[in-house]
Amino acid sequence: MATAIIYWSGTGNTEAMAQAIEEGLGSKGAEVEVFSVDEAPGDLLDNYERFAFGCPSMGDEVLEEDEFEPFFSKIEGGLAGKKVALFGSYGWGNGEWMDDWRARTEAAGALVFEEGLIQQEAPDAALCRSFGERFADF
Ligand SMILES: Cc1cc2nc3c(=O)[nH]c(=O)nc-3n(C[C@H](O)[C@H](O)[C@H](O)COP(=O)(O)O)c2cc1C
């Protein structure tokens, strides 16, 4: 089964991370599909073996609240035992949103890859690609 990458991005930084992670996974021969959160299929959990979720730090160190948070709260109950990578861009903070998000995803029983990947504003594409390559072997 394939890997699904689902992201929210306001100004394109997390979207650029999603694209580079897709390239990394693809370079390892993984079958990958990328969706922005508003176009994610409803039956995601049944149809993919690996998930990479991307969302920047928004509000005050939280996930984006209008689209991504509702999406993630709906899906998280089904993540037990699934391989999950988390990623996102941030601005001025210290990555607290990612620490909270990782703890939450682990509490849901998911197998969370590494520590997640955070990038300040515009991402380093090579770093994101290699994250994707390593996730392909997870
Ligand atoms: C409404 C709003 C709230 C934000 N809150 C935070 C924050 O709490 N901590 C932080 O580090 N960056 C924060 N940022 C900065 C974004 O995380 C940063 O610009 C990021 O690169 C945006 O990613 P995107 O291009 O994928 O939307 C905020 C940005 C906006 C627009």
Side-chain angles (χ1 to χ4, degrees):
M1 280 203 288
T3 300
I5 301 178
I6 303 105
Y7 70 92
W8 183 94
S9 186
T11 56
N13 294 326
T14 303
E15 181 175 28
M17 293 181 77
Q19 287 164 354
I21 291 167
E22 176 189 22
E23 284 170 24
L25 281 155
S27 76
K28 289 287 209 158
E31 190 191 328
V32 195
E33 290 177 60
V34 185
F35 307 97
S36 70
V37 70
D38 56 314
E39 61 188 23
D43 53 359
L44 269 178
L45 288 169
D46 297 330
N47 293 324
Y48 298 88
E49 62 167 343
R50 254 193 232 100
F51 299 87
F53 297 113
C55 184
S57 178
M58 295 294 284
D60 183 8
E61 293 296 326
V62 292
L63 297 172
E64 188 275 329
E65 291 170 289
D66 290 337
E67 292 182 295
F68 196 87
E69 173 59 44
F71 160 78
F72 195 75
S73 10
K74 207 163 138 193
I75 204 172
E76 70 184 324
L79 291 178
K82 307 275 187 194
K83 296 175 180 180
V84 173
L86 303 176
F87 64 95
S89 179
Y90 69 101
W92 51 84
N94 58 5
E96 190 187 331
W97 106 103
M98 180 57 78
D99 293 339
D100 293 345
W101 189 14
R102 186 175 63 248
R104 171 181 176 181
T105 307
E106 283 169 354
L111 309 170
V112 180
F113 177 60
E114 298 183 355
E115 303 278 288
L117 180 64
I118 69 174
Q119 294 275 279
Q120 192 169 26
E121 301 294 350
D124 178 330
L127 260 178
C128 296
R129 264 198 303 276
S130 76
F131 181 79
E133 285 168 18
R134 295 194 304 281
F135 186 45
D137 292 330
F138 181 57

